[in-house]
Amino acid sequence: MQNNYYDIIVIGAGHAGIEASYAAAKMGCKTALITISLRTIGRPSCNPSIGGTAKGHLVKELDALGGVMGILADKAGIQFKMLNRSKGPAVWSPRCQIDKDLYPLYAYDLLSKANNLTLIEATVAEILIEKDNVKGIRTLDNEIIYSKAIVFCAGTFLNGLMHVGEKAISGGRYGEAASKYISDLLNRYGFDMGRLKTGTPPRLARESINFSSITPAYGDDEPEPFSRKTKQVKNRIICWLTQTSEETHNILREGFDRSPMFTGIIKGVGPRYCPSVEDKVARFSDKPSHKILLEPEGLNTNSIYVNGFSTSLPEDIQEKGIRSIKGLERAEFLRYGYAIEYDFFFPYQLKYTLETKLVSGLFFAGQINGTSGYEEAAVQGFIAGVNAALKVKNEEEFFLNRSEAYIGVLIDDLVNKNTEEPYRIFTSLAEYRLLLRQDNADLRLMHYGHKLGLISNEEFDKLIEKKEKINKLDSYVKSIKLKAEDINNYLEQVNESPVLDSMDLFQLTKRSNVQLMDLLKMTNSYPLEIKSILLEPDIVEHLQAEIKYEGYIARQLREVEQFKENENRKIPQNFDYDRVSSISNEAREKLKKIRPASLGQASRISGVSASDIAILSVFLK
């Protein structure tokens, strides 16, 4: 009986399951991670990469809170880039290619050595629920395992169906069986369920590609790691750029009558911002070409991932289309592209903690909630795992507001907005994005990780030391002035207007083309403590962003205060919206369905207007 009892069971060992199980175990809960195959823990189903626009922010936030995706990405990373460098620092986002074989090995090694965590290879057939409380699970072998809380991270495995042309094969991903039982049982229990679709491109043999005719895409000269724990990373591969042509598009159109997307075989909705190549050709018929990025899948494999060519077209059309692309004329296929349909549960049925409203102790995380992407799944797994542990320990729940983190934006959007397609995080979704930069994730969030017991005292002391260094450098740049004759030559070089009198470094840094590090190097001498700070370019870069965007940041901070006022105006869970006769019928229906915890949350629900909120505000008073 003792071996069959755990505080927390995590079902599924993808990116959500890894974070959920590791966090719960580290918080002292006896945790079991159950997966169909221990060999596939953390396997990248699609693109062998971590991070990207806004996704990189999620990984940095996860690292600041005590999650592990950033550490694993640094270990398995083979090419690193900071995206959007030509734009403002609010949208700079780290990304890396990972070795698809090394990442699962590092993930397994990390989890297998974790205290309080047991890895179990089994297929879950049923989640046991009694009087709206979870009791445990039953496996296909009829073994019962009991627990106080369950985190369900099923990915694309729930009734998964893979499509290539007119062929449909049951599976959770290539070469792996689908889970055919749990979603139907939960649906019968009362959970509102839907169907979504995603896809993946072909994999090609490296030796069959003519690299001499296409453009190399290099990593950064000075690559930066995701995790604060990683001292250094290096680039070990080159990616390659090519593109489709009108000939390619015409070939793809030949297969439209056999495409499961266009013939109605696929019922699920796919991600708008990561469409299949046939969808791009159909939707953007006036566009003569689409970019293709060829990405090596690892250091010890000849497999090349064809980024930009996700497809479920028939195999013969895939071959003809690929071979019409420059550099791929003699391409050999290791695996054809395919689309996959899977069940998900509408996330309005969740609390901000990712616990379901219907069943106490049951948490959902990852693609089961209608999201797409490893990073989106990982942060959900973390939040669910942490809150499962807090529930077991009878401690106060934990969640992040959208003013605090991209994680908060993601979960707030999921709970309050309609899920009509797979959700993907973007910087444009965060109204306070100047405050939520990737470079300040540790300053924003590490205190939460420390409070939860996921960040050590030693790590937290380093954060305090970093804050002190930033404050010292800030005071220094406000106190030091440069004479006009010493600075004007530099200003001319960077296309800035000259100054007539001495000016302090703080005011000079506000100019668009001026770099703070350049100014610091122009000062004649500086104290020893400032000299040591200059050896840490991340501190200088952080302060530079704070200086350049000082006015905008101050305005966003005022907006956050207004946001917090509405967040603090709580709505009782049993509030009777039928008593508020003046609000619209649509608003009443949505409010009863989602049951917002605050006036702020209510204001972000689709279909609830500003006038509805004003009426509700008066009524609550």
Side-chain angles (χ1 to χ4, degrees):
M1 182 67 177
Q2 193 67 26
N3 291 332
N4 270 27
Y5 180 84
Y6 293 88
D7 292 321
I8 297 166
I9 293 172
V10 178
I11 304 170
H15 301 286
I18 290 169
E19 299 293 344
S21 59
Y22 187 82
K26 195 168 182 181
M27 289 174 71
C29 294
K30 186 183 177 186
T31 306
L33 175 60
I34 303 179
T35 176
I36 294 172
S37 172
L38 294 175
R39 297 190 307 277
T40 59
I41 288 176
R43 174 180 286 177
S45 304
C46 195
N47 197 332
S49 71
I50 298 292
T53 301
K55 292 171 177 282
H57 289 69
L58 292 179
V59 183
K60 295 285 277 189
E61 290 179 351
L62 195 53
D63 187 69
L65 289 164
V68 296
M69 177 173 261
I71 297 166
L72 296 174
D74 288 341
K75 286 184 175 182
I78 51 181
Q79 190 193 71
F80 294 80
K81 274 187 179 182
M82 184 67 73
L83 305 183
N84 304 322
R85 279 278 193 187
S86 61
K87 301 176 183 177
V91 295
W92 293 3
S93 299
R95 180 186 188 272
C96 80
Q97 291 297 121
I98 57 170
D99 187 308
K100 70 178 178 102
D101 298 317
L102 286 178
Y103 193 93
L105 290 177
Y106 286 127
Y108 177 79
D109 183 63
L110 179 83
L111 297 178
S112 63
K113 292 176 180 175
N115 294 329
N116 304 317
L117 182 57
T118 303
L119 307 181
I120 299 172
E121 193 170 73
T123 299
V124 177
E126 184 181 359
I127 293 174
L128 304 177
I129 302 169
E130 187 178 298
K131 295 180 181 177
D132 297 337
N133 285 273
V134 293
K135 291 298 176 185
I137 60 98
R138 180 178 62 81
T139 71
L140 264 186
D141 298 327
N142 275 325
E143 182 184 6
I144 304 295
I145 304 176
Y146 298 96
S147 68
K148 299 174 185 175
I150 290 174
V151 183
F152 193 26
C153 316
T156 60
F157 281 72
L158 291 180
N159 289 327
L161 194 62
M162 298 180 289
H163 298 271
V164 180
E166 295 161 306
K167 294 188 295 185
I169 307 162
S170 175
R173 63 181 165 211
Y174 182 80
E176 296 179 53
S179 175
K180 298 182 180 181
Y181 311 99
I182 304 178
S183 57
D184 295 330
L185 290 169
L186 289 175
N187 185 225
R188 287 199 292 273
Y189 198 83
F191 284 96
D192 190 5
M193 189 171 78
R195 196 92 169 137
L196 290 176
K197 165 250 171 190
T198 188
T200 192
R203 301 335 189 245
L204 306 178
R206 181 185 182 89
E207 61 274 13
S208 68
I209 297 171
N210 180 11
F211 293 105
S212 63
S213 64
I214 53 180
T215 307
Y218 300 101
D220 288 342
D221 292 335
E222 297 180 14
E224 298 179 27
F226 280 103
S227 177
R228 69 199 181 283
K229 291 183 177 180
T230 307
K231 292 183 178 179
Q232 190 178 19
V233 290
K234 60 181 180 179
N235 295 320
R236 292 183 276 183
I237 61 156
I238 299 170
C239 297
W240 302 85
L241 280 166
T242 183
Q243 59 186 15
T244 62
S245 64
E246 284 289 4
E247 180 191 359
T248 311
H249 300 175
N250 289 332
I251 290 168
L252 298 180
R253 289 186 186 103
E254 292 174 15
F256 279 10
D257 62 342
R258 292 185 286 149
S259 164
M261 268 190 59
F262 300 132
T263 56
I265 296 172
I266 291 178
K267 306 295 182 186
V269 180
R272 186 193 322 175
Y273 299 104
C274 189
S276 65
V277 69
E278 58 264 38
D279 196 22
K280 286 190 281 189
V281 170
R283 281 165 53 191
F284 309 110
S285 55
D286 57 333
K287 200 166 182 181
S289 65
H290 296 283
K291 288 183 180 179
I292 299 293
L293 182 63
L294 303 176
E295 301 171 324
E297 290 207 292
L299 300 174
N300 300 305
T301 176
N302 68 335
S303 181
I304 300 291
Y305 179 94
V306 190
N307 194 340
F309 204 92
S310 175
T311 184
S312 58
L313 285 166
E315 294 170 357
D316 60 316
I317 297 295
Q318 289 191 38
E319 289 183 8
K320 283 176 67 178
I322 282 287
R323 288 169 186 157
S324 70
I325 297 171
K326 191 175 183 180
L328 307 182
E329 295 86 354
R330 297 183 179 180
E332 294 177 12
F333 280 63
L334 299 177
R335 188 204 300 175
Y336 293 99
Y338 65 90
I340 182 165
E341 278 188 292
Y342 55 94
D343 293 339
F344 81 104
F345 294 95
F346 289 96
Y348 75 81
Q349 300 167 105
L350 301 172
K351 303 174 185 176
Y352 278 149
T353 59
L354 299 184
E355 185 180 20
T356 65
K357 296 171 183 175
L358 198 57
V359 177
S360 178
L362 178 60
F363 296 77
F364 289 168
Q367 286 184 266
I368 190 176
N369 291 334
T371 60
S372 72
Y374 309 148
E375 303 80 6
E376 289 89 340
V379 298
Q380 290 174 74
F382 178 86
I383 294 295
V386 163
N387 279 294
L390 292 172
K391 188 177 185 74
V392 166
K393 295 162 77 173
N394 202 27
E395 295 179 11
E396 186 181 354
E397 62 189 22
F398 170 72
F399 63 88
L400 295 163
N401 287 317
R402 62 187 301 121
S403 62
E404 295 179 288
Y406 274 88
I407 296 173
V409 172
L410 183 152
I411 293 174
D412 190 67
D413 283 350
L414 285 180
V415 172
N416 295 319
K417 296 180 181 177
N418 293 331
T419 308
E420 296 173 353
E421 61 187 53
Y423 178 95
R424 178 180 176 179
I425 194 71
F426 282 101
T427 51
S428 59
L429 298 174
E431 56 270 57
Y432 310 115
R433 56 185 170 275
L434 262 178
L435 304 178
L436 309 183
R437 304 189 308 276
Q438 58 84 30
D439 69 278
N440 67 7
D442 53 350
L443 299 168
R444 287 187 281 119
L445 300 174
M446 200 181 282
H447 66 284
Y448 287 126
H450 183 247
K451 185 179 177 182
L452 291 166
L454 299 170
I455 297 292
S456 68
N457 290 334
E458 184 183 0
E459 290 174 281
F460 196 62
D461 288 344
K462 287 180 181 177
L463 177 73
I464 294 170
E465 187 181 333
K466 180 179 178 178
K467 286 181 178 179
E468 289 172 353
K469 288 178 179 178
I470 291 169
N471 290 335
K472 284 177 183 176
L473 187 59
D474 182 51
S475 299
Y476 180 75
V477 298
K478 287 174 179 173
S479 67
I480 298 297
K481 292 186 176 183
L482 288 173
K483 295 178 181 178
E485 59 264 31
D486 294 333
I487 189 64
N488 280 338
N489 186 45
Y490 169 76
L491 293 176
E492 185 181 344
Q493 289 174 14
V494 296
N495 296 316
E496 292 284 353
S497 57
V499 295
L500 300 176
D501 205 351
S502 297
M503 187 177 285
D504 63 56
L505 305 191
F506 188 90
Q507 293 301 322
L508 285 166
T509 302
K510 285 181 175 290
R511 297 185 171 212
S512 299
N513 300 324
V514 170
Q515 298 296 307
L516 176 57
M517 186 65 88
D518 292 341
L519 299 181
L520 289 166
K521 288 176 180 176
M522 293 169 67
T523 56
N524 292 325
S525 61
Y526 23 71
L528 195 60
E529 61 181 5
I530 298 299
K531 191 173 183 179
S532 66
I533 291 172
L534 299 190
L535 299 175
E536 301 181 56
D538 61 317
I539 289 178
V540 178
E541 201 167 74
H542 168 82
L543 183 59
Q544 176 174 283
E546 294 285 317
I547 294 170
K548 285 188 182 296
Y549 298 95
E550 182 188 32
Y552 297 104
I553 289 171
R555 186 173 69 188
Q556 289 203 346
L557 286 170
R558 289 194 296 271
E559 291 170 357
V560 167
E561 288 307 309
Q562 294 173 347
F563 166 85
K564 285 179 178 176
E565 283 182 25
N566 279 340
E567 294 304 298
N568 290 330
R569 297 184 66 184
K570 301 301 181 184
I571 303 175
Q573 277 299 296
N574 61 351
F575 185 82
D576 184 3
Y577 291 99
D578 290 325
R579 292 167 58 201
V580 192
S581 58
S582 304
I583 62 174
S584 68
N585 288 331
E586 183 185 4
R588 184 178 292 104
E589 181 187 327
K590 293 286 181 67
L591 290 165
K592 288 166 73 174
K593 185 177 181 181
I594 294 173
R595 292 271 159 200
S598 69
L599 195 65
Q601 184 186 352
S603 70
R604 296 189 296 279
I605 296 172
S606 302
V608 179
S609 69
S611 60
D612 292 324
I613 293 299
I615 293 164
L616 185 59
S617 175
V618 171
F619 199 91
L620 284 170
K621 282 182 181 178

